[in-house]
Amino acid sequence: DFYFGCIEQVELEEFKSLENVHFILYEDLSRVNRMLYEIPKLIEQYSFDFAHFQYVIPLKKYKKCVYINTIHDVLFIDYPQYFPFKYRLVRKLLFKRSANTCDILLTVSEYSKNAITNHFGIERDKIKVLSNGISDRYFLAYNRSEVRSQVKREFGIENYFLMVSRIEPRKNQA
């Protein structure tokens, strides 16, 4: 069984027919309170074998549960000029503690693995690289002119540039 914690009710088509996928609606909207109290309580209540987090794990860790943590990057350390001081300070402390406390540490690239090793003093062999997955449908053949016509029909545009990213100075959208 897979349980996903959510701050609002979700209706994901991919999971509707799966009986082994469950959603837990968080009661507390505060991210800090969830990490300090609610999530540890849920882990104990449900007796989870594994819990997977991104970047930061809860302060309270149950020995019966394997904590998996994925740190995608530590760019706030590598490029401090793009991040406020408080943001960098808090995340550096939390990420480092989480990286050293979790049972399994994952990242998405060799670049991030090297950065985590250098900045947090974690041995390279304790970090596993698990690349981001892409659906097979994105590799299917398609007719480029048909797709351009469909975009023009549906959205009324011919010339466009698609940027899938957060808008931040370091992303260089300008």
Side-chain angles (χ1 to χ4, degrees):
D1 285 319
F2 296 89
Y3 291 81
F4 295 92
C6 308
I7 58 171
E8 59 187 48
Q9 189 64 39
V10 292
E11 297 291 329
L12 300 174
E13 290 295 321
E14 302 89 274
F15 298 121
K16 279 189 173 180
S17 65
L18 302 175
E19 293 179 16
N20 66 331
V21 175
H22 314 277
F23 295 92
I24 299 172
L25 197 59
Y26 292 132
E27 293 177 11
D28 203 317
L29 294 180
S30 164
R31 190 178 351 190
V32 173
N33 288 342
R34 282 196 311 267
M35 292 302 281
L36 285 173
Y37 309 109
E38 189 171 8
I39 292 173
K41 181 180 157 191
L42 289 168
I43 290 171
E44 185 177 40
Q45 177 185 338
Y46 285 87
S47 299
F48 290 133
D49 296 316
F50 299 91
H52 183 212
F53 302 93
Q54 294 189 63
Y55 300 105
V56 178
I57 67 171
L59 293 179
K60 187 174 183 179
K61 184 174 179 305
Y62 290 98
K63 293 184 192 305
K64 293 179 182 179
C65 182
V66 174
Y67 281 42
I68 304 166
N69 189 19
T70 299
I71 297 178
H72 296 266
D73 62 59
V74 289
L75 294 175
F76 63 93
I77 300 173
D78 292 336
Y79 300 97
Q81 68 271 26
Y82 296 122
F83 300 89
F85 175 75
K86 183 179 174 186
Y87 179 100
R88 294 190 324 261
L89 178 67
V90 169
R91 276 159 184 76
K92 186 172 184 180
L93 293 171
L94 290 174
F95 286 25
K96 183 174 184 176
R97 183 204 153 274
S98 296
N100 281 292
T101 307
C102 68
D103 300 297
I104 299 172
L105 180 57
L106 305 173
T107 192
V108 298
S109 68
E110 285 296 325
Y111 175 90
S112 291
K113 181 176 182 172
N114 290 333
I116 293 166
T117 298
N118 294 335
H119 295 303
F120 299 154
I122 296 174
E123 296 176 31
R124 285 184 53 77
D125 63 341
K126 294 193 178 192
I127 306 169
K128 305 297 178 211
V129 173
L130 183 62
S131 301
N132 292 322
I134 299 173
S135 173
D136 290 341
R137 72 181 181 192
Y138 294 107
F139 296 102
L140 297 175
Y142 65 95
N143 182 310
R144 199 175 190 146
S145 62
E146 283 179 22
V147 172
R148 289 179 68 85
S149 296
Q150 181 182 353
V151 169
K152 184 177 180 182
R153 256 190 336 274
E154 289 185 28
F155 303 105
I157 55 176
E158 288 185 66
N159 299 311
Y160 56 90
F161 181 80
L162 176 64
M163 167 69 85
V164 181
S165 173
R166 288 185 290 200
I167 297 175
E168 298 177 353
R170 69 184 177 91
K171 300 285 187 171
N172 198 22
Q173 285 96 345

